Amino acid sequence: MTKTRAVPVGIGHYLPARVVENAEFEKTLDTSDDWIRSRSGIERRHFAAEGETTSQMAVAAARAALDMAGLQADDIDAVIVATSTPDLTFPSCATMVQAGLGMQRGFAFDVQAVCAGFVFALANADALIVSGQARRVLVIGAETFSRIMDWTDRGTCVLFGDGAGALILEAQTGTGGSDDRGILATDLNSDGRYRDILYVDGGVSSSQTTGVLRMEGREVFRHAVEKLAETATAALEKAGVGIDQVDWIVPHQANLRIITRTAQKMGMGMDQVVVTVQDHGNTSAASIPLALSVGVARGQIKQGDLLVCEAIGGGLAWGAVVIRW
């Protein structure tokens, strides 16, 4: 029995030129490089330049993915951008990417699930491909979180960075078994009761302002470890594969302690986890595609490897994707 699979054919990323080391925060906050590293594992992050937007970074990442795949923009049927820091209230970032790439066909839309956005976007792309509505989908995570920081809050502003990652998925025929390349299973969850532990305190219909990020760090940490391990396990069960068959965990890069604890809870060693948080900080929806792109460039992730990507973000929203590269 054959089955249509959404198979990765190109990956790319973009990081802004400005690199901000932890030491820079020592000038304005009661913090230190040691304090930031010990609590988050973050050593540096990238911040977008003045006037540099989320859609511009998304276009740059998309071009890198197209180059790797040997494709042109008009070979793409759909663009999905996961972001919670769009250029404008509307239109969507995805339509701006479509125009920026010179793409004159297909359709484009945004997904907003904060740090879990890329996982939700992958699930949408998989559904479009499996249902036959699209043959090739460009899935992008892109964020400019530096624009929604409270620079007086040392508990949050040191954690986040800007960047973009892009993945192209293509319809290919598989056997329907777990040896197929492509997305094998997805698991999505949300619970709006936890809104107040991670949110931005502005919005169009409430305050007519952009607002800044607010977070109860301990509560987010507690939920993250528990829910990330659960959703990854659920996705693996749906895919019909065991944890012992996984080559790499490619997690949302929020905090090294969360990444480490989640891997331990899943019975995986850190030598099987792709980690980029030290160089990028938390780039929200961009963090998983950034980690995928860096993992491929490093030679860690190879064709045929079985990956689990898992993420949690404001909402709370969380989920996981099992994909054979």
Side-chain angles (χ1 to χ4, degrees):
M1 188 179 104
T2 61
K3 180 178 174 64
T4 301
R5 297 290 196 186
V7 177
V9 294
I11 186 86
H13 70 275
Y14 171 84
L15 291 161
R18 183 185 170 197
V19 178
V20 179
E21 301 285 345
N22 288 342
E24 281 202 36
F25 291 102
E26 295 173 4
K27 301 170 188 174
T28 56
L29 294 168
D30 179 19
T31 192
S32 68
D33 177 43
D34 285 344
W35 190 89
I36 297 167
R37 285 187 193 223
S38 66
R39 283 159 179 77
S40 68
I42 298 166
E43 300 172 21
R44 64 194 60 82
R45 73 288 292 146
H46 294 249
F47 284 166
E50 187 174 349
E52 188 172 33
T53 64
T54 296
S55 70
Q56 288 169 350
M57 295 194 301
V59 167
R63 286 187 175 133
L66 286 166
D67 285 347
M68 173 181 273
L71 297 171
Q72 303 298 315
D74 277 338
D75 294 323
I76 302 297
D77 300 308
V79 179
I80 306 175
V81 175
T83 188
S84 45
T85 51
D87 300 18
L88 302 170
T89 300
F90 68 81
S92 66
C93 257
T95 54
M96 296 179 187
V97 171
Q98 186 185 30
L101 292 172
M103 187 177 153
Q104 298 183 34
R105 59 182 297 280
F107 57 96
F109 61 95
D110 287 357
V111 167
Q112 213 280 48
V114 201
C115 298
F118 190 75
V119 167
F120 277 60
L122 283 180
N124 274 271
D126 181 50
L128 288 170
I129 287 172
V130 170
S131 66
Q133 293 182 77
R135 182 160 180 261
R136 292 193 188 99
V137 182
L138 173 59
V139 190
I140 304 169
E143 302 281 16
T144 45
F145 258 56
S146 63
R147 307 271 159 78
I148 53 169
M149 289 294 103
D150 175 354
W151 298 111
T152 66
D153 181 4
R154 71 170 188 166
T156 59
C157 72
V158 301
L159 301 177
F160 294 89
D162 303 335
L167 176 65
I168 298 170
L169 294 171
E170 178 181 271
Q172 294 184 15
T173 302
T175 64
S178 61
D179 289 337
D180 288 351
R181 287 186 62 218
I183 292 177
L184 302 181
T186 62
D187 182 68
L188 303 180
N189 311 269
S190 62
D191 191 334
R193 294 175 299 170
Y194 298 109
R195 185 193 74 171
D196 291 342
I197 67 172
L198 180 55
Y199 67 100
V200 167
D201 63 4
V204 178
S205 70
S206 58
S207 65
Q208 296 82 57
T209 64
T210 305
V212 293
L213 184 142
R214 303 297 182 197
M215 179 172 72
E216 293 181 27
R218 287 182 182 175
E219 278 298 291
V220 172
F221 184 94
R222 183 173 66 82
H223 282 284
V225 173
E226 175 190 321
K227 288 176 169 57
L228 288 173
E230 285 178 358
T231 188
T233 301
L236 286 166
E237 287 176 2
K238 290 180 184 180
V241 294
I243 191 69
D244 58 325
Q245 295 171 266
V246 174
D247 294 296
W248 295 102
I249 299 176
V250 187
H252 167 47
Q253 308 285 319
N255 178 308
L256 186 59
R257 290 191 301 148
I258 292 173
I259 293 169
T260 303
R261 286 278 294 277
T262 303
Q264 287 172 347
K265 207 170 176 70
M266 292 174 64
M268 297 279 284
M270 285 302 290
D271 58 340
Q272 290 177 279
V273 183
V274 176
V275 180
T276 59
V277 68
Q278 69 279 2
D279 295 322
H280 302 158
N282 183 346
T283 55
S284 188
S287 79
I288 286 177
L290 269 169
L292 285 168
S293 185
V294 170
V296 170
R298 285 175 181 165
Q300 289 175 295
I301 299 171
K302 299 179 176 67
Q303 186 169 312
D305 283 354
L306 188 66
L307 317 179
V308 182
C309 302
E310 26 92 340
I312 187 169
L316 291 174
W318 67 98
V321 175
V322 178
I323 183 167
R324 190 172 296 282
W325 200 253

